[in-house]
Amino acid sequence: MISIIDDDESVRLATESLVRSLGLGASAFASAEAFLSSPERQSTACVITDVQMPGMSGIDLQARLRSDGDGVPLIFITAFPEERIRSQAHAGGAIGFLAKPFEGDEMIRCIDDALRTTGQARP
């Protein structure tokens, strides 16, 4: 299961469609808080999250997951690819940091890398 978190519905739907086209399960959330309180959190093999969202940011989500002892791989997407944020994401173990708009191939590579870190692969 890949969990997609983005406050922009069009990005959420497009990313979910890409993930499903790879034969993977996907759940989409409009906020980090909605993901954290969902039952899908426990079955998530990878999180794709926007960096800047109302409420909890993607970086804050990463920090929360790590403080909870959750090492799930994260892929960040952002319209504002600042080097400081990129460094922070990578320091927390991010698998990818993609600037919007990104190519589908870039996302697929990141998903494959994330699944490999958990001992999984696409069907």
Side-chain angles (χ1 to χ4, degrees):
M1 175 69 64
I2 308 292
S3 290
I4 300 144
I5 307 163
D6 199 308
D7 59 314
D8 183 328
E9 183 179 17
S10 63
V11 173
R12 229 178 20 248
L13 293 174
T15 307
E16 183 178 19
S17 178
L18 173 65
V19 169
R20 290 188 187 281
S21 76
L22 300 173
L24 299 167
S27 290
F29 303 91
S31 70
E33 294 86 352
F35 166 71
L36 288 171
S37 65
S38 75
E40 285 87 354
R41 178 180 176 183
Q42 301 307 314
S43 61
T44 294
C46 174
V47 171
I48 299 169
T49 184
D50 191 8
V51 171
Q52 294 184 331
M53 299 178 285
M56 184 180 283
S57 73
I59 297 295
D60 292 340
L61 171 64
Q62 181 184 43
R64 169 72 181 277
L65 290 169
R66 298 307 182 245
S67 73
D68 289 350
D70 189 339
V72 66
L74 283 95
I75 300 167
F76 289 91
I77 54 177
T78 183
F80 308 99
E82 299 173 23
E83 188 53 41
R84 178 182 60 81
I85 301 295
R86 178 190 306 271
S87 295
Q88 199 172 355
H90 284 297
I95 295 294
F97 192 92
L98 304 177
K100 296 176 187 174
F102 52 84
E103 295 294 323
D105 289 347
E106 291 177 283
M107 178 61 74
I108 292 167
R109 180 187 51 75
C110 288
I111 291 169
D112 286 342
D113 289 348
L115 293 176
R116 267 194 297 281
T117 69
T118 62
Q120 301 176 48
R122 284 191 280 142

